[in-house]
Amino acid sequence: MRFTIRTKVLIGFAILLILSSLIQAFSFDITRNYITSQINNSQSVVAQDGANKLQEFFTGLNEVNLGLARNYKENINIASSSGQNNIISISKYVVNNNDQVREITYLSSTGRDIYKFNANGQVPQDQLNYEVYTDSFKTAVSGKTSISKVYYLDRELGPHIDIFTPVFDTNHSVIAVIKMQVYLETLRKNIETIKSGQTGYMYVVDEQGILIAHPSQEYVLERPNLSSRKIVTQTLHNQTSSEQDYIYKNEKNINMRTQ
């Protein structure tokens, strides 16, 4: 079949249009993939920032408790009252200058209260008691720092934890345990500033999936168990997650994607 010059020109023009469309589609696909990768990279950076803040929070508390343990060890055997006064003054300072620290208790290895401090100062000797022999306390007595499970004093105060730090003598035997009661509202305030885009945010659950920190304190006080979210359960059990597991509906029935 022979084509006229006009037909050949039209066919050529049509081929150019098709090629142009293919090139545009290919370019759009590359751009879309690039944007998606950048979003994922951005979310990863935000997630890492959140993990860093979480680690900083607990590292800071651990350092404070280790400082108290060191101070107690240095002063407990001083014969004069100056040793006791140093323990008291340092403990009061820590409670009064750390919003997250609600109480500090010095315990014997058998669980007897030696000293206790809260926002009102030193607790009188006749109000001291014995520590419940929990797994966290037993771990500290064995020589390792431990953290209790999250608990609530009452509905309005929100979640707390206890950090137990052993105190060693010169023979590396545990002679006491320092228990620091920590209010997790400060942790909530720390992660409240972490944002991903306009709507993304960070929240923290405990080992059972119960919410302990979230931008909404009201939601935290409801004590929801978020283990029904696949991504939460799989993360807690170190299981491999599929892409679909990262997508779920939140408490407001809004589609969310975790990172």
Side-chain angles (χ1 to χ4, degrees):
M1 177 184 290
R2 299 183 63 184
F3 296 100
T4 64
I5 293 176
R6 181 174 179 276
T7 302
K8 291 179 180 179
V9 170
L10 288 174
I11 291 173
F13 184 65
I15 291 172
L16 286 175
L17 284 177
I18 293 171
L19 288 174
S20 177
S21 298
L22 289 173
I23 291 171
Q24 288 180 7
F26 182 67
S27 298
F28 175 77
D29 192 52
I30 291 175
T31 303
R32 181 185 60 191
N33 290 337
Y34 174 76
I35 292 173
T36 300
S37 69
Q38 290 301 102
I39 291 173
N40 289 337
N41 288 339
S42 175
Q43 290 175 337
S44 295
V45 169
V46 172
Q48 186 59 53
D49 182 37
N52 290 341
K53 283 187 179 293
L54 200 62
Q55 184 175 2
E56 288 171 7
F57 178 79
F58 286 103
T59 298
L61 290 171
N62 189 47
E63 288 176 351
V64 171
N65 236 17
L66 288 172
L68 291 171
R70 186 164 51 249
N71 180 66
Y72 182 81
K73 177 182 176 180
E74 291 172 353
N75 288 279
I76 191 60
N77 293 321
I78 295 179
S80 66
S81 61
S82 62
Q84 183 180 18
N85 289 336
N86 284 337
I87 294 171
I88 293 172
S89 60
I90 291 295
S91 301
K92 286 182 176 179
Y93 178 85
V94 170
V95 172
N96 293 331
N97 290 275
N98 291 272
D99 292 338
Q100 66 268 37
V101 178
R102 289 302 173 88
E103 194 172 82
I104 294 172
T105 307
Y106 294 80
L107 303 162
S108 71
S109 57
T110 59
R112 178 177 57 84
D113 291 350
I114 303 171
Y115 299 104
K116 180 177 286 188
F117 304 88
N118 55 33
N120 297 319
Q122 184 176 2
V123 175
Q125 288 289 318
D126 60 359
Q127 295 180 24
L128 298 181
N129 210 326
Y130 277 83
E131 175 71 16
V132 176
Y133 221 67
T134 61
D135 288 341
S136 300
F137 175 68
K138 287 188 286 186
T139 298
V141 171
S142 72
K144 297 179 182 178
T145 296
S146 62
I147 299 177
S148 73
K149 292 183 178 181
V150 176
Y151 64 91
Y152 287 75
L153 295 175
D154 60 52
R155 185 170 181 82
E156 298 304 318
L157 282 179
H160 291 68
I161 58 170
D162 294 328
I163 300 177
F164 295 85
T165 301
V167 182
F168 299 94
D169 62 11
T170 53
N171 296 319
H172 302 289
S173 297
V174 176
I175 57 173
V177 172
I178 298 178
K179 171 187 172 184
M180 177 187 288
Q181 184 187 76
V182 179
Y183 183 35
L184 294 178
E185 168 66 3
T186 303
L187 174 61
R188 188 192 71 80
K189 290 180 178 178
N190 284 349
I191 70 166
E192 188 179 35
T193 60
I194 300 173
K195 302 291 184 182
S196 178
Q198 295 296 316
T199 58
Y201 57 86
M202 177 181 176
Y203 62 87
V204 182
V205 300
D206 66 8
E207 73 278 6
Q208 296 176 319
I210 297 174
L211 187 69
I212 61 174
H214 187 280
S216 170
Q217 178 67 347
E218 290 75 14
Y219 189 42
V220 173
L221 292 176
E222 293 177 13
R223 309 183 198 180
N225 190 321
L226 303 184
S227 59
S228 59
R229 299 174 180 177
K230 271 190 175 182
I231 187 62
V232 171
T233 300
Q234 290 172 340
T235 300
L236 291 174
H237 294 89
N238 293 319
Q239 297 174 347
T240 303
S241 303
S242 66
E243 187 70 20
Q244 190 61 33
D245 294 332
Y246 287 84
I247 302 172
Y248 61 91
K249 290 186 182 294
N250 70 0
E251 64 279 4
K252 297 180 180 179
N253 205 36
I254 298 173
N255 284 326
M256 302 292 290
R257 186 185 190 283
T258 59
Q259 179 63 43

